[in-house]
Amino acid sequence: MNHLADLVAALPAGRVLTDPDVAGAYARDQTFLPPGTPLCAVVAESRDDVVTTLRWATEHRVPVVPRGAGTGLAGGATAVEGCVMLSMIRMTAVRELSPADEIAVVEPGVITADLDRAARAHGLMYAPDPSSYEISTIGGNLATNAGGLRCVKYGVTRDSVLGLEVVLPDGRVLATGRRTMKGVTGYDLTGLFVGSEGTLGVITAATLRLRRAPETPPATFAAEFPSLRAAGDAVAAIIAAGCRPSLLELMDRNTLKAIDDWKNIGLEPGVRAMLIGQSDDGVPGAAERMAALCEENGATFVAATSSPDEAEELIGVRRLAYQAKERLGTCLVEDVCVPRSALPVMISEIEAAAERHGALISTVAHAGDGNLHPVFIFERGLAEPPPHVWAAADDVFRAALRLGGTLTGEHGVGVLKRRWLDLERGEVSGDVQRGIKNVFDPLGIMNPGKAI
């Protein structure tokens, strides 16, 4: 296209990648979904690069798909035909880190774990920690409102965002929010952009809330159970007792076996589920109290530790879950969320769906906030999940909604969950969301076909 030469000329050398193989490397995320063929990829290094790209895209009516590290699990960062893949991976500046105000101002390409490490040098921490925290970017976390292992206590990404710098589709720069902990001037545009999956504009900087890091290492426990339902009952008991875990993670037998086959963690035959929890409050006996509740709900083995090395080893097992499942086949990774009191019932619904449809489902959960990740594993090489897998997924989604839950707790809708979207949001909500999209993106060029 002749107008592509205008974009190449308008940006610094090397920003626009037009070779089909090179641009294609930016075209997909972690899903099995086949991407469209992008017109090109733009690797932005500054806000001005983003402004120039979006002005050009608006002028020529070219769709734009923003992306970070490509770790998404819902198809939100997959290319649409003829689009510009706008990569933010080189925008890695920590513009400011203020210990006095407990905030950081960062660009979207900053790796999540790197921000946390920078904060800890000042006795602070960045709370959100998705399982991909060592490779995922802040921009991607913002786009999907990512959660993570610590979200049971500290909340999801939105709870740590104070303000944003956003480039709108026409190239205008919008500042939302503030640097203060409180503020109610006008509509909450910051909250609107967090979780919008790149459909309204491109985030080029974020003002993020930092928190005081725990002064002592967290106390950690692990409990083994003879059934997944028993583990779910233990989670419900821990929450009902008023415990304040900073982490509460659940893994089923299929997940544990996949990890054991890969890493030889010494899984015993009778273990059907494992619960890993932490308390970082520094309250003596907090982990032991949660461990005792596990025993009361059928745990066959419980161990508690204050050793950072032992704790890291246990949590490291949890972080291996997704990679271990990928070794077994292609994964359809879902993330339903239900009220915490409904967690045991939702666990039973997932097990029933697997049995009913003959599907292999491997489940982990951010159990403390009712967020479950049932992973549907199917034969590698297939273009998409076979019918029995889709049927099992349909049962799981409908069960979550029936229990008062949601289709997605932290991965976003992307492409994969669009077929169920109207079951949750309803006609009026759909109309309002499409109206909001039209206000910000009247030409419909921002990540078209995703999220809403």
Side-chain angles (χ1 to χ4, degrees), residues 60-106:
H60 298 286
R61 307 298 196 266
V62 176
V64 176
V65 178
R67 64 172 279 128
T71 60
L73 295 167
T78 53
V80 299
E81 200 66 28
C83 73
V84 172
M85 294 301 300
L86 180 54
S87 172
M88 314 301 288
I89 200 69
R90 291 185 189 168
M91 292 187 64
T92 58
V94 177
R95 296 183 183 177
E96 179 185 354
L97 200 158
S98 171
D101 291 327
E102 297 185 357
I103 63 171
V105 181
V106 305

Side-chain angles (χ1 to χ4, degrees), residues 138-161:
I138 294 295
N141 295 170
L142 292 165
T144 60
N145 192 25
L149 277 62
R150 290 194 291 252
C151 56
V152 60
K153 180 176 180 180
Y154 296 105
V156 292
T157 296
R158 184 179 284 116
D159 298 303
S160 292
V161 184

Side-chain angles (χ1 to χ4, degrees), residues 53-425:
T53 301
L54 291 185
R55 284 177 177 168
W56 174 90
T58 291
E59 179 182 356
H60 298 286
R61 307 298 196 266
V62 176
V64 176
V65 178
R67 64 172 279 128
T71 60
L73 295 167
T78 53
V80 299
E81 200 66 28
C83 73
V84 172
M85 294 301 300
L86 180 54
S87 172
M88 314 301 288
I89 200 69
R90 291 185 189 168
M91 292 187 64
T92 58
V94 177
R95 296 183 183 177
E96 179 185 354
L97 200 158
S98 171
D101 291 327
E102 297 185 357
I103 63 171
V105 181
V106 305
E107 292 182 345
V110 171
I111 299 297
T112 312
D114 288 345
L115 174 58
D116 186 48
R117 281 188 280 265
R120 286 180 187 271
H122 300 276
L124 302 169
M125 72 178 194
Y126 179 62
D129 67 331
S131 294
S132 59
Y133 76 128
E134 287 286 3
I135 54 174
S136 66
T137 62
I138 294 295
N141 295 170
L142 292 165
T144 60
N145 192 25
L149 277 62
R150 290 194 291 252
C151 56
V152 60
K153 180 176 180 180
Y154 296 105
V156 292
T157 296
R158 184 179 284 116
D159 298 303
S160 292
V161 184
L162 298 173
L164 298 171
E165 176 186 275
V166 182
V167 181
L168 299 177
D170 61 7
R172 290 181 296 163
V173 178
L174 170 68
T176 77
R178 54 201 59 83
R179 294 168 61 93
T180 56
M181 294 298 140
K182 298 166 68 176
V184 292
T185 307
Y187 295 127
D188 181 11
L189 297 180
T190 303
L192 176 62
F193 277 97
V194 177
S196 63
E197 301 186 47
T199 61
L200 303 178
V202 179
I203 296 169
T204 51
T207 301
L208 303 174
R209 178 185 181 186
L210 304 177
R211 300 172 191 263
R212 285 286 156 191
E215 294 183 0
T216 58
T220 306
F221 76 88
E224 297 175 350
F225 294 86
S227 73
L228 188 58
R229 177 61 186 258
D233 289 338
V235 171
I238 288 169
I239 299 301
C243 298
R244 289 273 295 160
S246 55
L247 178 151
L248 199 57
E249 296 292 304
L250 178 62
M251 294 179 285
D252 73 351
R253 173 71 184 185
N254 288 338
T255 301
L256 293 168
K257 186 176 185 307
I259 296 172
D260 189 52
D261 289 345
W262 181 25
K263 296 293 186 179
N264 191 26
I265 61 173
L267 180 66
E268 296 293 334
V271 176
R272 311 300 299 179
M274 178 181 289
L275 188 63
I276 300 173
Q278 279 190 338
S279 171
D280 65 3
D281 288 333
V283 177
E288 287 79 5
R289 184 185 181 199
M290 290 188 282
L293 288 166
C294 289
E295 289 184 322
E296 292 174 15
N297 283 273
T300 55
F301 174 80
V302 180
T305 180
S306 294
S307 164
D309 291 340
E310 292 177 357
E312 188 57 37
E313 185 176 341
L314 286 170
I315 295 170
V317 170
R318 165 62 181 89
R319 294 194 187 277
L320 289 171
Y322 181 63
Q323 298 97 306
K325 295 169 193 178
E326 282 189 308
R327 299 175 72 249
L328 303 180
T330 301
C331 296
L332 169 63
V333 184
E334 293 305 343
D335 71 319
V336 296
C337 192
V338 296
R340 292 180 299 187
S341 61
L343 183 71
V345 178
M346 190 65 222
I347 285 171
S348 295
E349 292 282 356
I350 293 172
E351 292 183 318
E355 183 175 353
R356 187 159 52 244
H357 297 285
L360 175 57
I361 305 179
S362 179
T363 301
V364 299
H366 305 310
D369 56 6
N371 188 189
L372 300 104
H373 294 302
V375 178
F376 302 78
I377 303 170
F378 58 96
E379 182 181 348
R380 207 181 304 279
L382 296 179
E384 67 169 83
H388 75 283
V389 171
W390 281 127
D394 185 75
D395 284 1
V396 167
F397 284 130
R398 290 176 184 273
L401 295 176
R402 190 168 61 250
L403 292 170
T406 179
L407 299 171
T408 175
E410 58 185 5
H411 292 169
V413 173
V415 175
L416 284 177
K417 287 189 258 298
R418 286 185 306 171
R419 65 177 70 192
W420 293 283
L421 189 56
D422 285 336
L423 293 177
E424 177 173 342
R425 70 180 182 184

